[in-house]
Amino acid sequence: MKRLYPASPLTLTAALLIAISSFAATAQDKKGVTEPELKYQAGGSPLAGEPMYQSNNPKAPPMTQAEFDTARKTYFERCAGCHGVLRKGATGKPLTPDITLAKGTDYLKVFIAYGSPAGMPNWQTSGEMDEKTVDLMARYIQHDPPVPPEFGMAQMKETWKVIVPPEKRPTKKMNNYNIENIFSTTLRDTGEVALIDGDTKKIINIVKTGYAVHISRTSASGRFLFVIGRDAKINMIDLWMPVPDNVAEVRIGLEARSVDTSKYKGKEGDFTDKLAIAGAYWPPQYVIMKGDTLEPLKIVGTRGMVVGTQEYHPEPRVASIVASHFKPEFVVNVKETGKTLMVDYSNLDALKVTEIGSAPFLHDGGWDSTKRYFMVAANQSNKISVIDAKDGKLAALVEVGKIPHPGRGANFIHPKFGPVWSTGHLGDETISLIGTDPKGHKQYAFKKVAELKGQGGGALFIKSHPKSQHLYSDTPLNPDPKISQSVAVYDIKNLDKGFTVLPIAEWAGLSDDGAKRVVQPEFNKAGDEVWFSVWSAKNKQSALVVVDDKTLKLKAVIKDPRLITPTGHFNVHNTQHDIY
């Protein structure tokens, strides 16, 4: 067997410098990549278990079928999030054979083992991979990328199930729950969501869903809950049932993140609850469905040219989707191409799409307080794209901190700048505030007007509420347990005094040694409680912690053996009305 490292220290150093500089030369400037960024970008993909077409490249180093299958699984679990399904590059560099074959196996092994300042994790020296796996992956990326299957209408119809037809559903609410204050909490590793009564803090039902539910969305009427797993399975839950549960389901692809429903009611018609939409990571497409049954009606692909470079991208993933309040439109954000698509759903037989170019790697975002402007993070571009949903245009591109990750962001009234929207960041400790009032505070509109200092990088969600005087920011991906297990809270009326730290994980009173990462502040309907997930591993105890927003004191801890890996949670009323 060939040795992994060159013989002498001098040769090793030279090889490392050559490998790292060569691969990083044309990459975006990401020097000083932090551990939170690496954790976030190196996420897995549900495609790891999918059968794929395999092409044998005679120029590539030999691999047995078993080796290839093992390497393919590792790639989709560890690498596809950065380098793309087809290895054409996303936030990471392209790893196609025209590039990798010229480098050679030994060269690639050094790069995989040690990583680079441009963002490549040091897989071997960090202990994540052993020498054998590094060798396997170095050979694998010299082969032609295996291609996952497409997922069209026929495949969707095979997965589509109407569990309770519309005519057999309740005609009135059949339970005594305060539906508007129900929380839908993702149980990430069990393929479920927990429906929790926000008034009593009791679990109403554990509902079977797709794997690793990414978001829950409430229909415009507030009756139905739509959840989507990373495996692209959508579940429709009827909150009027005696015990709320699934009434329909469908898969719209093999990997996905986003779902929403039509909300517009105006001169073009009443579209309340009439349609649903979901976007896929693979295949790159979005799907419009019937809002009462999830029957797929229209599939639209997103493959196309990247904003700016005008180069073709074969797998631009659909990230966040929201429903416009101003027009019968869905706002569809396409990650790699950097485009926001305003999809007019008033006539699906003559679909009209307005394409707005902003910046690559569009991810998540939320409405400003007027619900006219959608603020979406172009995360690897370090920008917030401001989409004017009324006029259908790009209002601004705002430079912010490193890798913004707002979730939906947070709206509040700043003492000086008026209405602002805010985001935290994965790559640094800052919180950026952006003015959102072009009429009353024109000089501050769509500019970064202030920057708060937070606990550290690794922030995923930030939240406030119209009835609250506080701003909450989590940091679950920070490598320091003291930071990842707590949250920072700011007094909106006195932001200059800095933040107060709430030891949420400590308050949970968990007895084991789990990670206890604190994630996603979410208000109740009244705006006087804030809920947090304390997220540990599947075999460790987790919990939900409820904080009194007025006093910042512990109010309740929700523990249950069924609360396995709780992550995101969504209040029905606040989600329905886009309150954050």
Side-chain angles (χ1 to χ4, degrees):
M1 178 181 291
K2 293 182 179 180
R3 298 178 65 178
L4 176 61
Y5 309 116
S8 71
L10 181 60
T11 309
L12 171 59
T13 302
L16 280 170
L17 289 174
I18 292 170
I20 291 171
S21 62
S22 175
F23 270 73
T26 57
Q28 297 183 49
D29 182 15
K30 295 187 287 181
K31 290 183 179 180
V33 170
T34 63
E35 186 174 335
E37 294 173 65
L38 296 184
K39 286 182 179 179
Y40 179 72
Q41 296 294 353
S45 165
L47 293 173
E50 294 292 335
M52 297 184 187
Y53 168 74
Q54 179 184 341
S55 173
N56 293 316
N57 188 335
K59 296 181 180 180
M63 299 186 78
T64 66
Q65 185 63 51
E67 286 180 322
F68 190 91
D69 290 342
T70 298
R72 179 175 68 84
K73 185 174 186 294
T74 300
Y75 178 83
F76 282 99
E77 288 176 344
R78 301 289 186 89
C79 316
C82 275
H83 298 287
V85 170
L86 302 179
R87 305 210 307 262
K88 293 283 188 177
T91 53
K93 291 284 291 174
L95 294 175
T96 45
D98 59 312
I99 298 171
T100 55
L101 277 169
K103 305 299 181 185
T105 301
D106 286 339
Y107 189 96
L108 294 170
K109 287 197 298 188
V110 171
F111 185 76
I112 295 169
Y114 282 86
S116 83
M120 176 71 174
N122 54 324
W123 290 110
Q124 184 173 324
T125 57
S126 68
E128 294 288 331
M129 292 184 185
D130 58 20
E131 182 177 339
K132 181 179 178 181
T133 304
V134 167
D135 175 75
L136 197 68
M137 298 310 296
R139 287 183 286 139
Y140 172 79
I141 60 175
Q142 295 174 73
H143 284 259
D144 293 337
V147 182
E150 298 295 319
F151 206 87
M153 187 61 75
Q155 289 81 11
M156 290 181 201
K157 288 290 184 71
E158 289 178 359
T159 71
W160 174 47
K161 297 178 183 178
V162 180
I163 300 163
V164 182
E167 63 272 16
K168 293 186 178 181
R169 296 172 193 167
T171 56
K172 62 180 181 180
K173 188 161 94 65
M174 301 296 290
N175 59 61
N176 293 322
Y177 299 117
N178 178 7
I179 286 177
E180 290 186 314
N181 202 34
I182 288 176
F183 286 76
S184 175
T185 297
T186 296
L187 306 180
R188 188 186 185 280
D189 293 331
T190 63
E192 298 168 326
V193 295
L195 301 181
I196 304 175
D197 186 335
D199 293 348
T200 66
K201 315 295 188 291
K202 302 295 185 183
I203 294 176
I204 297 169
N205 195 15
I206 302 292
V207 181
K208 291 292 182 183
T209 62
Y211 172 73
V213 164
H214 192 245
I215 56 172
S216 298
R217 288 288 171 261
T218 309
S219 67
S221 68
R223 172 175 178 175
F224 297 103
L225 193 69
F226 294 78
V227 301
I228 188 165
R230 291 183 61 168
D231 57 1
K233 182 179 180 181
I234 304 169
N235 289 81
M236 180 180 179
I237 299 168
D238 187 353
L239 299 176
W240 278 13
M241 295 172 69
V243 178
D245 210 335
N246 287 317
V247 293
E249 64 181 45
V250 70
R251 284 189 76 186
I252 56 92
L254 299 175
E255 183 175 2
R257 296 294 189 280
S258 53
V259 67
D260 211 338
T261 64
S262 54
K263 295 182 177 179
Y264 180 75
K265 184 178 181 180
K267 61 182 180 179
E268 292 89 344
D270 183 0
F271 295 95
T272 304
D273 292 8
K274 293 293 192 300
L275 298 170
I277 184 173
Y281 270 26
W282 186 270
Q285 60 193 27
Y286 58 89
V287 181
I288 299 175
M289 299 155 281
K290 285 187 178 180
D292 59 349
T293 64
L294 295 181
E295 178 184 0
L297 301 173
K298 186 90 172 179
I299 306 171
V300 183
T302 56
R303 293 176 171 99
M305 315 310 284
V306 177
V307 167
T309 65
Q310 298 294 294
E311 294 178 354
Y312 178 75
H313 201 290
E315 49 168 310
R317 298 171 284 183
V318 179
S320 54
I321 299 177
V322 293
S324 172
H325 298 264
F326 283 87
K327 298 177 184 178
E329 289 182 334
F330 291 121
V331 184
V332 178
N333 296 283
V334 186
K335 191 181 287 279
E336 279 74 21
T337 53
K339 296 175 181 177
T340 297
L341 309 178
M342 312 298 286
V343 180
D344 184 336
Y345 54 72
S346 60
N347 185 351
L348 298 187
D349 294 325
L351 194 71
K352 297 177 183 177
V353 180
T354 300
E355 179 184 294
I356 302 172
S358 55
F361 307 111
L362 296 177
H363 189 62
D364 205 358
W367 295 106
D368 79 307
S369 58
T370 69
K371 300 177 179 61
R372 172 174 175 172
Y373 300 99
F374 187 66
M375 320 285 288
V376 57
N379 54 20
Q380 288 291 339
S381 297
N382 301 329
K383 293 179 174 67
I384 297 296
S385 173
V386 183
I387 304 297
D388 184 341
K390 183 178 180 181
D391 291 344
K393 65 179 183 180
L394 178 69
L397 269 177
V398 185
E399 293 276 352
V400 290
K402 192 173 184 182
I403 310 185
H405 194 287
R408 287 305 197 208
N411 290 295
F412 62 92
I413 306 298
H414 190 280
K416 176 181 178 181
F417 305 117
V420 297
W421 178 91
S422 52
T423 180
H425 301 87
L426 274 159
D428 66 38
E429 63 184 7
T430 66
I431 294 171
S432 295
L433 310 185
I434 298 172
T436 59
D437 183 17
K439 290 186 178 180
H441 298 78
K442 186 176 180 180
Q443 69 273 37
Y444 304 127
F446 310 127
K447 299 175 182 176
K448 188 174 82 169
V449 295
E451 187 175 86
L452 309 178
K453 182 179 179 181
Q455 289 203 84
L460 289 183
F461 299 100
I462 190 168
K463 193 63 65 76
S464 190
H465 190 279
K467 295 181 179 179
S468 173
Q469 289 302 313
H470 294 121
L471 176 68
Y472 295 82
S473 176
D474 68 15
T475 42
L477 296 186
N478 195 285
D480 185 343
K482 290 183 180 179
I483 296 176
S484 66
Q485 295 179 8
S486 62
V487 296
V489 187
Y490 300 82
D491 181 347
I492 290 170
K493 293 182 178 179
N494 191 6
L495 293 169
D496 291 339
K497 76 175 184 180
F499 55 82
T500 299
V501 176
L502 302 186
I504 302 296
E506 179 183 324
W507 286 351
L510 302 178
S511 57
D512 60 43
D513 58 350
K516 305 176 188 176
R517 289 169 288 189
V518 175
V519 63
Q520 193 158 347
E522 177 76 349
F523 279 84
N524 63 344
K525 178 190 174 184
D528 58 9
E529 292 178 355
V530 191
W531 292 42
F532 299 90
S533 290
V534 182
W535 168 29
S536 284
K538 187 175 182 179
N539 62 344
K540 302 291 183 180
Q541 188 181 29
S542 295
L544 300 179
V545 170
V546 182
V547 173
D548 186 314
D549 178 61
K550 304 298 182 185
T551 64
L552 300 184
K553 301 296 184 182
L554 175 65
K555 188 169 185 178
V557 177
I558 305 172
K559 295 180 183 177
D560 191 291
R562 296 171 292 174
L563 290 178
I564 299 171
T565 59
T567 52
H569 41 270
F570 304 86
N571 176 268
V572 166
H573 177 266
N574 294 340
T575 303
Q576 177 188 358
H577 298 284
D578 293 308
I579 296 172
Y580 32 78

